[in-house]
Amino acid sequence: MLKKGGQSLEKQISWSRLDNTAKLFPAISGEHAANVFRLWADLEEDIHPKALQEAVEQALKDLPAFAVKMRRGVFWYYFEQNPAKPVVREEFCPPCFRIELRRNRGFLFRITYYQRRVNLEVFHALTDGNGALYFLHHILFYYLKQVCPAASHWEKPAELEDVSEQEMWEDGFAKSDEESAGAAGQPMIFAPRAYHLDGEMLPIGAQQITEAVFSAKEIAGLAKASGATVAQYFAALLIEAILEERCREVPPKEKIVISLPVNLRNFFPSKTLRNFFIFVRIGVDGSQGNPGFDNILAQVGEQMKGEITREKFLARIRQQRRLEEIPFLRVVPRVIKDFFMRRTYRRGEHTYTCTLTNMGRVPMPREFVPHVKRIGTMLGASRNNTLKVAVSSLGDVMTVVFNSTCREEDIPRYFIRRLTAEGLAAVVTCNEVPR
């Protein structure tokens, strides 16, 4: 257990504010937009429920930043310590299903298992993918120590000891803003409306999930041969898929815009386990038809290089933080803030077509490698933004997951076929959705 001055962190910190990004999620979430994402790990053997339960409880002792519940204050939501124990269950609901806090003992995450897979699902107000991965690593460490004879004498890997208690609770946005005193903020500019993906909507809570597994080395080689990164290549391929499958007969008036979440820890010195990411929008004009993959890729690469910079992020962080500091807004009741945040968010949802997140190569303590076969992630789609794509790699195994609230499978099908047409092998699975 992390301690400071002989006092445990649970006692030292009884409540905390939500970070800059987290404040949005409680206001906008509901049955149409759960704002839940999933990380999972496939192990070598079937899961032992009792050992997994004990592993989760032990991980929470190490990382009390996850042992919280969310409260409604007069002016803002806030976290306070949750003394309850989470309940590990066999998978019982669709992936990325809304976390009902009252039925989940107040916890903002859910741990389930199915056969050899451990699932960690998180309400985005709690943390982002990087923080959730750190939590999952702790759970796997304590689980493997119990079920693997060779792991019973493991010491905790250094990778799981590199976040101090202060860093754990740190608001990365506030820290970066303070360190950038004097930097100019970015003016508040609403992006234009983007092309919207329509289709036959599935019942509330249901998602069409297509999972494709590739060789990470082959994908990286394909992108490199085009002079691009994997993120650039996949963003361009996704735009081409939308243009070919949805816009071939009637070119769109609006741009095809991909929303890319960027991990700010790669740009600022923070190890926070809270949210610390920002979205970047990359758009291509398809009003004259499909400009061709090479043209799309060139536009995507140029835009990403121009937008994904420390200076741009500093300006956006400062602009967002300045809104929080307006004296009038501080004393506006939370219910009124919620109303206006929902309105602003809904307007923002129309400024991008879909989301693509790339976790890249997932770091894994070397002790885990013989026992963990695959790591994957998925983002829950919403009724307004119907398609989200998530990419992650462990070793040479790359997993690409398409989540959609529509029944149509044309975009993931095109995406995967374009890659297999390049000579890449793929293992594809899909779930069954209700009729």
Side-chain angles (χ1 to χ4, degrees):
M1 181 185 300
L2 295 172
K3 296 185 178 181
K4 179 181 180 181
Q7 184 182 31
S8 69
L9 189 58
E10 293 98 324
K11 294 180 180 179
Q12 182 191 357
I13 301 178
S14 60
W15 72 278
S16 65
R17 297 182 178 88
L18 275 66
D19 60 72
N20 182 274
T21 297
K23 291 175 180 177
L24 177 67
F25 293 112
I28 64 173
S29 298
E31 62 181 9
H32 294 292
N35 286 297
V36 172
F37 66 91
R38 170 184 282 199
L39 290 177
W40 79 81
D42 286 344
L43 307 186
E44 288 288 344
E45 299 180 356
D46 286 352
I47 301 302
H48 298 271
K50 183 178 179 181
L52 183 58
Q53 176 71 47
E54 293 177 1
V56 173
E57 293 176 13
Q58 186 62 46
L60 285 179
K61 293 178 181 178
D62 287 358
L63 304 175
F66 291 91
V68 297
K69 51 188 173 183
M70 189 169 61
R71 294 294 196 185
R72 292 182 174 90
V74 176
F75 302 110
W76 290 108
Y77 295 89
Y78 64 94
F79 292 141
E80 71 175 21
Q81 288 295 308
N82 188 346
K85 292 183 179 181
V87 177
V88 171
R89 300 176 61 182
E90 188 171 13
E91 192 166 18
F92 63 94
C93 61
C96 302
F97 194 76
R98 182 183 181 188
I99 296 178
E100 299 184 35
L101 301 183
R102 291 184 179 180
R103 297 184 180 182
N104 199 46
R105 298 190 175 185
F107 289 100
L108 285 81
F109 66 87
R110 177 169 56 219
I111 302 288
T112 61
Y113 63 91
Y114 179 72
Q115 295 180 352
R116 301 181 179 186
R117 177 170 291 186
V118 177
N119 303 307
L120 168 60
E121 294 180 306
V122 182
F123 179 41
H124 229 319
L126 179 62
T127 188
D128 56 19
N130 190 85
L133 181 63
Y134 196 73
F135 185 30
L136 180 60
H137 279 166
H138 277 74
I139 293 171
L140 293 176
F141 170 71
Y142 288 112
Y143 176 78
L144 293 172
K145 273 180 67 72
Q146 295 180 73
V147 302
C148 299
S152 60
H153 299 295
W154 278 359
E155 295 293 332
K156 185 181 288 187
E159 301 96 313
L160 304 188
E161 296 277 21
D162 65 346
V163 179
S164 71
E165 54 191 76
Q166 292 88 354
E167 292 169 328
M168 184 186 305
W169 291 89
E170 181 179 86
D171 185 335
F173 296 99
K175 178 182 178 182
S176 300
D177 185 31
E178 292 167 1
E179 293 179 353
S180 65
Q186 178 173 299
M188 176 69 78
I189 300 175
F190 283 102
R193 190 181 183 93
Y195 177 77
H196 184 74
L197 292 172
D198 294 316
E200 180 187 348
M201 299 301 297
L202 296 171
I204 292 175
Q207 306 232 353
Q208 178 76 56
I209 301 173
T210 303
E211 180 181 304
V213 180
F214 299 94
S215 162
K217 292 179 181 177
E218 291 180 356
I219 292 289
L222 185 63
K224 185 176 181 180
S226 299
T229 66
V230 171
Q232 292 168 355
Y233 194 93
F234 276 3
L237 185 54
L238 189 54
I239 291 172
E240 183 187 57
I242 294 169
L243 286 170
E244 282 296 303
E245 293 298 324
R246 300 295 178 91
C247 309
R248 185 183 301 174
E249 296 182 2
V250 181
K253 297 179 181 179
E254 304 91 354
K255 286 185 175 182
I256 310 298
V257 179
I258 308 299
S259 179
L260 303 169
V262 178
N263 179 12
L264 292 177
R265 298 170 187 82
N266 295 329
F267 297 85
F268 301 96
S270 177
K271 295 181 180 180
T272 181
L273 298 187
R274 304 168 77 180
N275 286 292
F276 196 38
F277 70 97
I278 207 163
F279 285 103
V280 170
R281 295 184 182 90
I282 304 298
V284 170
D285 183 2
S287 60
Q288 303 302 314
N290 183 355
F293 180 75
D294 290 342
N295 193 311
I296 295 172
L297 183 59
Q299 293 185 56
V300 168
E302 183 178 356
Q303 290 180 50
M304 288 180 68
K305 290 176 183 177
E307 292 297 322
I308 302 178
T309 69
R310 191 175 191 275
E311 291 72 25
K312 287 284 185 74
F313 295 149
L314 272 177
R316 290 181 59 184
I317 290 171
R318 170 141 293 204
Q319 180 262 320
Q320 293 174 13
R321 290 273 298 162
R322 290 301 166 268
L323 288 177
E324 290 183 351
E325 295 171 356
I326 297 175
F328 169 72
L329 291 180
R330 286 189 172 190
V331 297
V332 171
R334 175 187 49 79
V335 291
I336 298 177
K337 288 189 180 93
D338 284 356
F339 173 79
F340 283 102
M341 281 196 286
R342 281 194 293 270
R343 291 284 297 270
T344 302
Y345 179 77
R346 286 169 185 164
R347 184 173 179 178
E349 279 191 307
H350 295 294
T351 64
Y352 61 95
T353 307
C354 63
T355 300
L356 169 65
T357 183
N358 179 21
M359 292 189 70
R361 287 189 177 275
V362 175
M364 182 67 63
R366 59 182 178 81
E367 296 90 341
F368 294 10
V369 173
H371 309 284
V372 181
K373 296 174 60 179
R374 188 157 63 102
I375 290 281
T377 184
M378 64 175 68
L379 306 177
S382 68
R383 308 288 280 188
N384 290 327
N385 286 107
T386 60
L387 178 64
K388 297 195 176 184
V389 186
V391 184
S392 56
S393 301
L394 181 64
D396 190 40
V397 181
M398 174 179 286
T399 305
V400 183
V401 182
F402 299 81
N403 274 49
S404 176
T405 49
C406 293
R407 193 175 300 280
E408 288 77 7
E409 301 175 81
D410 51 346
I411 294 172
R413 184 185 302 116
Y414 182 95
F415 187 101
I416 295 167
R417 285 179 175 175
R418 275 281 278 108
L419 291 174
T420 56
E422 296 287 345
L424 276 66
V427 177
V428 182
T429 57
C430 302
N431 66 332
E432 293 184 7
V433 295
R435 289 288 175 184

